[in-house]
Amino acid sequence: MTAPNPRIGVIGSGAIGGFYGLMLARAGYDVHFLLRSEYEAVKRNGLQVNSAVHGPLHLNEVQAYHSAADMPKCDWLLVGAKSTSNSDLAPLIAEAAGDNAKVVVLQNGLGIEEDLRQVLPDTLHLLGGLCFICAHRSALGVVEHQALGGVNLGYHSGSAETSEQQQALVEEGVAMFRAAGVDSSAAANLAQARWQKLVWNMPYNGLSVLLDAGTAPLMANPDSRALVRSIMLEACGAAAACGHPLPEALVDRMMMSTDHMPNYLPSMYHDYKQGRPMELAAIYAAPLAAAADVGFEMPRAEALYQALRFISARER
């Protein structure tokens, strides 16, 4: 069971970890942040979220740590770091986790939980978190929140053996986020939810890098708009082939929603521009491999992935 006032740890306090950690701390939760490059700036200036939804938010007294060994044991751990660093995160998660802790992976892509499960203690509960948010880090300890902000949770694995036990843990997490003013709900099928989020992430993340454009110009041009739609349809087809069919109207809904968003530069664009590794394995390689395993071809997504690999290799 979760403590009456659970202790929450945030591992990776960039845009995602910074936003959700700050929201939970403002709601009165006991939140602890594990920081690396941002540690000195956050200790000195606090954590700032410039939100178009909630207004300017500032957390002055941040419980910040440079080492997981210095953190208190946490009941919940939110993993907001990019999937490119997961091999280094497992020891930090294990060190910061209390007994039977709930680890929520707030990352994009496919196969995230499966990879982490192999290197985490069996006693830890592993949950997937699907973040629907337009946010990026503009400076150390400063997050720009443009729109949305919801997070859906699904149970992946751990010591909760029955579906009732698993659902109870998910609902605890959902209630925690809702208490912090964050729209949240339970994902009935985590694998399907990850595929559904890929329908948006696969076209916009890669095309933002390849075409040096945010969502507004991508949607305004008929050629790039048609390309976005075709990659979305490929992702839907792959999901169905893998046993996770998505709603027929999903692509139209996603494109309409993107039309009404402010111009947004996805996380992969910021990673590329700032010289960080792009999440190519989780967002492209894993779903392409899953589709290939069931004999489904994704030629446009494959071509986009190949172009991004070229760009990544050239930058290295």
Side-chain angles (χ1 to χ4, degrees), residues 18-308:
F19 174 79
Y20 292 113
L22 181 145
M23 294 294 288
L24 289 161
R26 288 179 71 250
Y29 286 99
D30 183 19
V31 183
H32 302 258
F33 296 83
L34 180 62
L35 305 166
R36 287 188 175 178
S37 61
E38 299 184 273
Y39 177 78
E40 294 297 337
V42 170
K43 286 294 289 184
R44 182 173 60 251
N45 304 318
L47 188 59
Q48 178 75 35
V49 172
N50 301 316
S51 174
V53 178
H54 305 285
L57 307 174
H58 188 259
L59 185 63
N60 188 38
E61 298 296 328
V62 179
Q63 299 185 104
Y65 307 84
H66 201 262
S67 169
D70 297 329
M71 294 177 68
K73 298 296 184 181
C74 296
D75 304 299
W76 287 83
L77 285 171
L78 308 183
V79 181
K82 296 295 177 67
S83 60
T84 51
S85 61
N86 278 359
S87 60
D88 298 323
L89 292 179
L92 306 180
I93 294 171
E95 193 160 23
D99 294 337
N100 298 309
K102 279 70 67 178
V103 180
V104 182
V105 187
L106 301 175
Q107 295 176 341
N108 289 322
L110 199 66
I112 304 298
E113 293 84 10
E114 287 79 2
D115 290 344
L116 275 176
R117 180 74 279 170
Q118 297 178 31
V119 291
L120 288 179
D122 294 338
T123 54
L124 298 183
H125 302 281
L126 190 59
L127 292 82
L130 290 303
C131 304
F132 301 90
I133 184 171
C134 296
H136 69 278
R137 184 180 66 177
S138 59
L140 296 178
V142 182
V143 177
E144 307 298 329
H145 174 217
Q146 293 176 256
L148 307 175
V151 57
N152 295 345
L153 302 181
Y155 193 88
H156 180 268
S157 57
S159 56
E161 298 178 352
T162 68
S163 58
E164 291 79 9
Q165 292 172 330
Q166 295 171 5
Q167 187 65 20
L169 290 175
V170 170
E171 293 297 341
E172 286 182 10
V174 167
M176 187 172 69
F177 279 110
R178 287 179 177 174
V182 173
D183 182 33
S184 184
S185 60
N189 182 320
L190 179 59
Q192 184 184 52
R194 285 220 166 270
W195 271 109
Q196 181 164 321
K197 195 158 190 288
L198 279 167
V199 173
W200 195 96
N201 276 323
M202 291 188 82
Y204 291 109
N205 270 280
L207 290 176
S208 72
V209 174
L210 193 63
L211 302 180
D212 194 23
T215 54
L218 288 174
M219 296 304 283
N221 180 279
D223 291 319
S224 54
R225 186 182 184 95
L227 185 54
V228 165
R229 183 179 185 84
S230 65
I231 296 172
M232 283 187 170
L233 290 171
E234 283 187 356
C236 286
C242 291
H244 304 294
L246 300 173
E248 289 185 9
L250 178 64
V251 169
D252 289 334
R253 289 207 311 265
M254 282 190 170
M255 294 192 73
M256 183 180 299
S257 174
T258 307
D259 279 330
H260 290 90
M261 280 169 42
N263 184 37
Y264 176 59
L265 291 163
S267 59
M268 189 170 288
Y269 177 90
H270 292 286
D271 289 339
Y272 169 65
K273 288 295 185 181
Q274 296 176 29
R276 298 189 297 258
M278 295 183 285
E279 294 181 290
L280 301 184
I283 296 178
Y284 294 100
L288 284 166
D293 284 345
V294 295
F296 187 87
E297 295 184 353
M298 304 176 70
R300 293 172 181 82
E302 177 74 33
L304 178 56
Y305 174 48
Q306 290 170 331
L308 292 167

